[in-house]
Every structure is written in C-alpha cells, then in structure tokens.
C-alpha cells in the first residue's frame, strides 16, 4: 500500500525500546533509592540532583519507580499478550478447520464478544478474580484481548487448510495440535506478528488505564499506571512531574512499539502478495 | 421475455430483503446474547448489591432482615429465574429500579444520556469532517514535508493513552492556565446556559478527538493514496482537468464508501473513549454512571447501560459490514488479513473502552 514509505527497520524505535526494556530488567543497578520506601520528609519534591525525577505524594523516588514499575508494566504487556495469542491461535485454528456451520457460529460468537465494551468486561472479570495483582490483571487483559487475532488466524487457516501438505499430514494421522503447531503456525505467524506487537502495547495501555482508575493494580504495586493513579492528588498541589514523567515513558514505549508494529505490518503484507 | 424479467427483478428484491433480514437477526441475537453475558457475569462478581441500596447499613443487617431485603429485590432466586423475570419485564418496558438512586433506571439514565450524546456526537461530527480534510491535505502534499510532519505528529498523538491526554489537558488548561473548567457539564445553577456548557465541553472534546482522530485520518489517507494512483486520474489529467477538480470531483467520490465504513467503525471506539474521558472530567454522562454501577453492583442500571452501549456498538458494526458488502462490492468477499484488521478499528479492536 505504502509504495513510497521506506521499508527500513525503525532502528531508533528499536533502540529506545531496547534501552527502556534493559533498564527496567536491570532496574536494581540503576535505581538510586528503594522505590517502595515512603520518605515522608520528602513528599512532592520537584526533580533535583538527589531525586532525579522528584518524589510523588507519598514520598517515593520517581526515578527508581520508573524502572522498577516499568518492569511490571512490560511484564503485564508480555504475559497478557502471550495468553491472548495462545487462545487466539487455538480458537482461530479450530474455527478455520471446522465445518462451515460451526465456523459460522464461532465467528458470530466473536462478533458478539467484540461488541461488548471490553473495559466493562475487564472490570467485571477483575471483580470475579478478586483482589487485583500483577498476575490476575495480566490474565484478565489476556482473556479479553484475543478476539481480533483469532479472526485473522481463522482466515489464514481457512486459506492454508486446503493445502496438500495439510491433507497429507492429516492422512498420516497428524492430530489437530500437531498440524497446528508444525504446519499452520509457521505459515501464519508472520501475518499475525504485527498484531502481537500491537497487542502488547494495547495491554500496557489497558493496564495503565485500569490502574489509574483504581480498579487495576493497587498503589503499593508499582507500575506506570499505578504511579499515575496519584495524579488527581498531584493535580491539587500542582506537582506536574508526578503526572508527566510516567506518562512520557508510557507514550515513548507505546510509540516505539507502534513503529515496530507498523514496520512488521508492511513487511508481512509484502510477503503475502509475493506468494 | 417480459415475465422472465419481472421474475428476475422479484428474485433480486427477495435476495435483498433476505440479506437485510439476516443482518437484523444478527443484530437481535447479538443484543440478546450480550444481555445474557452481562447478566451472568455481573451476578458472578463477589460483592454485595445490598450495599448499593442500603449503603453502610447493609453490613449491619441481621440474617432475617437480609433475606427479606434480597427477596424484596428479587435477588434470592437462581440467576436463570432472575434473568427470565428481567427479560419479561424488559419487554414491557420496565427495567427495574436503580439500587443506588431508588428511581426507575430509565429516568436516571434519561438525565445523563443527553450529556453523553452531546459529547460523543459533537466529537464524532468534528472527527468525521477533520479526518477527511486532513486526509486530503496529506495526499495533496504527499511525501512532502507537511505530509511527513503531520504523519509523525499524528502517530505520536495517537500513541498517547486517552486518560493521560485528559490529565495533561486538565493540568495545562485548568490547573496552570485557568482558562477552562476541569470538571462537570455546567456550573451549578447554570444548567441552561449554552455558553457555559460549551466552555465545559471544550477540554473533553479535545481529549476524545485527539486520541481517535489520527487513526482514521491515516486510513483515509492510505485509501486516497491508492485512489490517486488509479488510471482514471491519468485520463482526467490528460483531459486537462485541474488538480483540484480531479481530487474533489473524482477521487473523493471514489473513496466515499470506504470513508463511510471507516467512520462507522470508529463509532464504537469513540463511544468507549467518551466513557474514559467522562470519568476523568467528572462529566455527568453514561460513562461515569456505568463505572459507578459496576462498582456498586447496581445490577438493573448496569444491564440497561450495557445494552444501550451494546446496541450502539453492534448497530454500527453491522452498518459498516453492510456498507462494505453492498455499497462497495469491490471489497466484498476479499477475505484478506489487512482488510479484516482494518475492519476492527483502532488497535485491532483490542481495547475499546
């Protein structure tokens, strides 16, 4: 589609993302303070040489929290995307290889699920799971975010399942999961790769939105979203850094992922048309 | 010969009627299933619906008093019985009372619906116009500096989570500059004052529009970019038509079906976005109400709100399908990954409010 846009990989975005991820992964080395320590003498301190990004309304050091919390944000993004992808691949492949009537029912089912406001679904599921923790919120977001990938997988599988090698494998007694794993997945994986990247970023946004609204991670579990849940209080004291700094990291990460996702989207489109 | 023709015409109408009937059935079934899912899920969540009705007093109730209260609200029955009862009443136009407001659900919602419709409606109309204008502007200057800058800035803005964008808007315009109010739909006592309402709408509007605009503009831009590479543009050029005439008389007409379907897809996302923005600006609309209802287990309220949202979302999803399949037959049956992805809207429809 974009004949004129460059197909160079987004080096800068990959670099920034790698830098942020590495810093979050090795946050112990970078942190200057204990991120969960409530330094009550230093609440709402503007960025200075001791507190590089200032402190929040509870007196925690934002610089340390960014790296420490980023790890949780990224982890939730990855885990929930993994869950979504597994559900999507199994569901999509089932639907794609099923007889037409079953396929129709399954597809109508996804359309109905797509029409449920997913934020609401998350709120209800979260309430069923009880207290929100890192794992439970990743599972909830993962459980609600698989539908669009499943639709694509189903279309791809429909096109692939008539191929001779699939029929051959079936004749030799290959089970559903064998065919799915050995023959189908390697073929459709490049096509859904960009959606997986986009899914990671959506999951991170979802987590931060939920934590911000007070229905995601509690304030003591540090993530970029739960850091922002102090924003309303920060607004009253005019401590802009509490709002701006975690947000900038959030936006930067999401932007890098979008660039990478868009690049993958273009390259996967090209591959499909050459076949 | 003639009879043959009229028979064929009849069959054509029959096909058409069947097509729309199928879509209607899909709509009804979707809303029905949605109501079951929400009803069932909301009953599964732990938490006390009596808290919404009686407030703190609910926790001090005795065993017998509790049982009596549950019977009175019809909550002691099994979920299935409750659902059938709810469905029967709903067909008669009775959606029950809100546990929190102690009023019929519909009258509570009626007061708020207009506010949300105003916010959602105006942002959609503005988006509808701006997306096309920006798309045209980009293609007019395709691959030149203005286009490139706009594309980059747009991508960055579309990456900003809606809630954070709202926060920053409040911080800059309400807290630091004091030029716009940060919450509510009107100053208390001035509910009829149009100017006051507009002042309260400005920031929420900007938040909704900015966070959704670029995604759709970019889609229109790409559609237009394909359109201006068609052969007929070359012909028009050879005929001596001006650039402006080709663009506005031919190319725009070419992408109209795609444009309408893109904008129909955007509606569910705008609705979802409106809800988040409403919560941030404490704007008294459906969004704040549904958040409250889900938190307080105000079941009757939750059901109606979900169904209202669901009806809007399902309706426009089906509408965009119809536009795609009927008005622009070129798209029909081309089951390609790219098109399915596009038909899902922002983020492939992963999280939409």
């Amino acid at each position: 589609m974009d004949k004129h846009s460059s197909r160079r990989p987004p080096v800068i975005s990959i670099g920034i993302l790698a830098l942020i991820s590495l810093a979050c992964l090795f946050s112990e080395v970078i942190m200057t303070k204990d991120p969960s320590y409530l330094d009550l003498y230093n609440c709402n301190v503007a960025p200075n040489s001791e507190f590089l990004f200032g402190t929040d309304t509870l007196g925690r050091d934002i610089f340390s929290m960014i790296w420490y919390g980023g790890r949780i944000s990224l982890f939730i993004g990855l885990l929930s995307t993994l869950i979504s992808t597994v559900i999507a691949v199994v569901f999509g492949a089932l639907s794609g290889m099923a007889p037409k009537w079953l396929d129709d029912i399954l597809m109508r089912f996804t359309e109905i699920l797509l029409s449920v406001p997913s934020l609401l679904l998350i709120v209800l599921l979260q309430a069923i799971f009880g207290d929100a923790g890192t794992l439970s919120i990743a599972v909830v977001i993962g459980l609600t975010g698989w539908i669009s990938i499943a639709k694509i997988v189903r279309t791809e599988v429909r096109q692939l399942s008539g191929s001779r090698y699939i029929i051959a494998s079936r004749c030799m007694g290959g089970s559903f999961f064998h065919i799915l794993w050995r023959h189908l997945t390697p073929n459709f994986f490049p096509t859904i790769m960009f959606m997986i990247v986009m899914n990671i970023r959506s999951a991170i946004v979802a987590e931060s939105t939920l934590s911000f609204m007070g229905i995601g991670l509690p304030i003591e579990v540090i993530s970029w979203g739960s850091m922002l849940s102090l924003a309303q209080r920060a607004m009253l004291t005019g401590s802009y850094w509490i709002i701006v700094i975690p947000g900038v990291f959030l936006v930067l990460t999401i932007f890098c992922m979008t660039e990478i996702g868009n690049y993958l989207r273009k390259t996967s489109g090209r591959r499909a048309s050459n076949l | 010969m003639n009879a043959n023709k009229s028979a064929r015409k009849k069959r054509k109408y029959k096909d058409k009627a069947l097509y729309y009937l199928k879509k209607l059935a899909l709509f009804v079934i979707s809303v029905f299933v949605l109501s079951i899912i929400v009803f069932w899920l909301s009953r599964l969540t732990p938490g006390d619906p009596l808290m919404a009705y009686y407030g703190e007093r609910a926790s001090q109730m005795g065993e017998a008093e509790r049982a009596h209260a549950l019977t009175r609200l019809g909550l002691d029955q099994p979920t299935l019985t409750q659902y059938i009862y709810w469905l029967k009443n709903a067909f008669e136009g009775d959606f029950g009372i809100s546990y929190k407001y102690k009023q019929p659900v519909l009258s509570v919602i009626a007061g708020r619906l207009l506010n949300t419709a105003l916010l959602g409606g105006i942002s959609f109309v503005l988006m509808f116009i701006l997306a096309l204008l920006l798309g045209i502007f980009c293609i007019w200057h395709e691959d030149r500096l203005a286009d490139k800058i706009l594309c980059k800035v747009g991508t960055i803005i579309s990456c900003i989570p809606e809630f954070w964008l709202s926060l920053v808007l409040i911080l800059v315009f309400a807290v630091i500059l004091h030029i716009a109010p940060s919450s509510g739909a009107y100053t208390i006592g001035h509910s009829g004052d149009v100017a006051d309402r507009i002042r309260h709408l400005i920031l929420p509007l900007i938040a909704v529009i900015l966070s959704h605009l670029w995604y759709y503009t970019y889609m229109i831009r790409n559609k237009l970019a394909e359109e201006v590479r068609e052969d007929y543009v070359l012909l028009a050029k050879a005929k001596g038509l001006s650039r402006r005439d080709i663009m506005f008389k031919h190319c725009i007409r070419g992408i109209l079906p795609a444009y309408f379907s893109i904008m129909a897809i955007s509606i569910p996302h705008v609705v979802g976005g409106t809800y988040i923005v409403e919560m941030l600006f404490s704007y008294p609309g459906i969004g704040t109400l549904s958040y409250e209802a889900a938190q307080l287990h105000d079941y009757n309220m939750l059901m109606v709100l979900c169904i209202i949202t669901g009806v809007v979302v399902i309706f426009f999803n089906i509408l965009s399908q119809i536009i795609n399949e009927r008005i622009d037959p070129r798209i029909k049956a081309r089951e390609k990954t790219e098109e399915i992805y596009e038909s899902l809207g922002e983020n492939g429809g992963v999280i939409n409010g």
Side-chain angles (χ1 to χ4, degrees), chain A residues 241-257:
Chain A
W241 57 91
I242 299 176
I243 299 171
V244 172
I245 290 172
V248 166
F249 275 87
L250 198 58
V251 173
L252 199 61
T253 310
I254 295 166
F255 176 71
C256 293
M257 287 182 178

CSV table of all heavy atoms in Angstrom, one decimal, chain A residues 241-257:
chain,number,residue,atom,x,y,z
A,241,TRP,N,5.4,16.9,37.7
A,241,TRP,CA,6.3,15.8,37.4
A,241,TRP,C,5.7,14.4,37.7
A,241,TRP,O,6.0,13.4,37.0
A,241,TRP,CB,7.6,16.0,38.1
A,241,TRP,CG,7.5,16.1,39.6
A,241,TRP,CD1,7.6,15.1,40.5
A,241,TRP,CD2,7.3,17.3,40.3
A,241,TRP,NE1,7.4,15.6,41.7
A,241,TRP,CE2,7.3,16.9,41.7
A,241,TRP,CE3,7.2,18.6,40.0
A,241,TRP,CZ2,7.1,17.8,42.7
A,241,TRP,CZ3,7.0,19.5,41.0
A,241,TRP,CH2,6.9,19.2,42.3
A,242,ILE,N,4.8,14.4,38.7
A,242,ILE,CA,4.2,13.1,39.0
A,242,ILE,C,3.3,12.6,37.9
A,242,ILE,O,3.2,11.4,37.6
A,242,ILE,CB,3.3,13.2,40.3
A,242,ILE,CG1,4.2,13.7,41.5
A,242,ILE,CG2,2.6,11.9,40.6
A,242,ILE,CD1,3.5,13.9,42.7
A,243,ILE,N,2.7,13.5,37.1
A,243,ILE,CA,1.9,13.2,36.0
A,243,ILE,C,2.7,13.0,34.8
A,243,ILE,O,2.5,12.0,34.0
A,243,ILE,CB,0.8,14.3,35.8
A,243,ILE,CG1,-0.1,14.4,37.1
A,243,ILE,CG2,-0.1,14.0,34.6
A,243,ILE,CD1,-1.0,15.5,37.1
A,244,VAL,N,3.6,13.9,34.5
A,244,VAL,CA,4.3,14.0,33.2
A,244,VAL,C,5.3,12.8,33.0
A,244,VAL,O,5.3,12.2,32.0
A,244,VAL,CB,5.0,15.4,33.0
A,244,VAL,CG1,5.8,15.4,31.8
A,244,VAL,CG2,3.9,16.5,33.0
A,245,ILE,N,6.1,12.6,34.1
A,245,ILE,CA,7.2,11.6,33.8
A,245,ILE,C,6.8,10.2,33.5
A,245,ILE,O,7.2,9.6,32.5
A,245,ILE,CB,8.2,11.7,35.0
A,245,ILE,CG1,8.9,13.1,34.9
A,245,ILE,CG2,9.2,10.6,34.9
A,245,ILE,CD1,9.8,13.4,36.0
A,246,PRO,N,5.9,9.6,34.4
A,246,PRO,CA,5.5,8.2,34.0
A,246,PRO,C,4.8,8.2,32.6
A,246,PRO,O,4.9,7.3,31.8
A,246,PRO,CB,4.5,7.8,35.1
A,246,PRO,CG,4.8,8.8,36.2
A,246,PRO,CD,5.3,10.0,35.6
A,247,GLY,N,4.0,9.3,32.4
A,247,GLY,CA,3.3,9.3,31.1
A,247,GLY,C,4.2,9.4,29.9
A,247,GLY,O,4.0,8.7,28.9
A,248,VAL,N,5.3,10.2,30.0
A,248,VAL,CA,6.2,10.3,28.9
A,248,VAL,C,6.8,8.9,28.6
A,248,VAL,O,6.9,8.5,27.5
A,248,VAL,CB,7.3,11.3,29.2
A,248,VAL,CG1,8.5,11.2,28.3
A,248,VAL,CG2,6.7,12.7,29.2
A,249,PHE,N,7.2,8.2,29.7
A,249,PHE,CA,7.7,6.8,29.5
A,249,PHE,C,6.7,5.9,28.8
A,249,PHE,O,7.0,5.1,27.9
A,249,PHE,CB,8.2,6.2,30.8
A,249,PHE,CG,9.6,6.7,31.1
A,249,PHE,CD1,9.9,7.8,31.8
A,249,PHE,CD2,10.7,5.9,30.7
A,249,PHE,CE1,11.2,8.3,32.0
A,249,PHE,CE2,12.0,6.3,30.9
A,249,PHE,CZ,12.2,7.5,31.6
A,250,LEU,N,5.5,6.0,29.3
A,250,LEU,CA,4.4,5.2,28.7
A,250,LEU,C,4.2,5.5,27.2
A,250,LEU,O,4.3,4.6,26.4
A,250,LEU,CB,3.1,5.6,29.5
A,250,LEU,CG,1.9,4.6,29.4
A,250,LEU,CD1,2.3,3.3,29.9
A,250,LEU,CD2,0.8,5.2,30.2
A,251,VAL,N,4.1,6.8,26.9
A,251,VAL,CA,3.9,7.2,25.5
A,251,VAL,C,5.1,6.8,24.6
A,251,VAL,O,5.0,6.3,23.5
A,251,VAL,CB,3.7,8.7,25.4
A,251,VAL,CG1,3.6,9.2,23.9
A,251,VAL,CG2,2.4,9.1,26.1
A,252,LEU,N,6.3,7.0,25.2
A,252,LEU,CA,7.5,6.6,24.4
A,252,LEU,C,7.6,5.1,24.1
A,252,LEU,O,7.8,4.7,22.9
A,252,LEU,CB,8.8,7.0,25.2
A,252,LEU,CG,10.1,7.1,24.5
A,252,LEU,CD1,10.0,8.2,23.5
A,252,LEU,CD2,11.2,7.4,25.5
A,253,THR,N,7.3,4.3,25.1
A,253,THR,CA,7.3,2.9,24.9
A,253,THR,C,6.2,2.5,23.8
A,253,THR,O,6.5,1.7,22.9
A,253,THR,CB,6.9,2.1,26.2
A,253,THR,OG1,7.8,2.7,27.2
A,253,THR,CG2,7.1,0.7,26.1
A,254,ILE,N,5.0,3.0,24.0
A,254,ILE,CA,3.9,2.7,23.1
A,254,ILE,C,4.3,3.2,21.7
A,254,ILE,O,4.1,2.4,20.7
A,254,ILE,CB,2.6,3.4,23.5
A,254,ILE,CG1,2.2,2.7,24.9
A,254,ILE,CG2,1.5,3.2,22.5
A,254,ILE,CD1,1.2,3.5,25.6
A,255,PHE,N,4.9,4.3,21.6
A,255,PHE,CA,5.2,4.8,20.2
A,255,PHE,C,6.2,3.9,19.5
A,255,PHE,O,6.1,3.6,18.4
A,255,PHE,CB,5.8,6.3,20.3
A,255,PHE,CG,6.3,6.8,19.0
A,255,PHE,CD1,5.4,7.2,18.0
A,255,PHE,CD2,7.6,6.9,18.8
A,255,PHE,CE1,5.8,7.6,16.8
A,255,PHE,CE2,8.1,7.4,17.6
A,255,PHE,CZ,7.2,7.8,16.6
A,256,CYS,N,7.3,3.5,20.3
A,256,CYS,CA,8.3,2.6,19.7
A,256,CYS,C,7.6,1.3,19.2
A,256,CYS,O,7.9,0.8,18.2
A,256,CYS,CB,9.4,2.3,20.7
A,256,CYS,SG,10.4,3.7,21.2
A,257,MET,N,6.7,0.8,20.1
A,257,MET,CA,6.1,-0.5,19.7
A,257,MET,C,5.2,-0.3,18.4
A,257,MET,O,5.1,-1.2,17.6
A,257,MET,CB,5.2,-1.0,20.8
A,257,MET,CG,6.0,-1.6,21.9
A,257,MET,SD,5.0,-2.2,23.2
A,257,MET,CE,6.2,-2.8,24.3
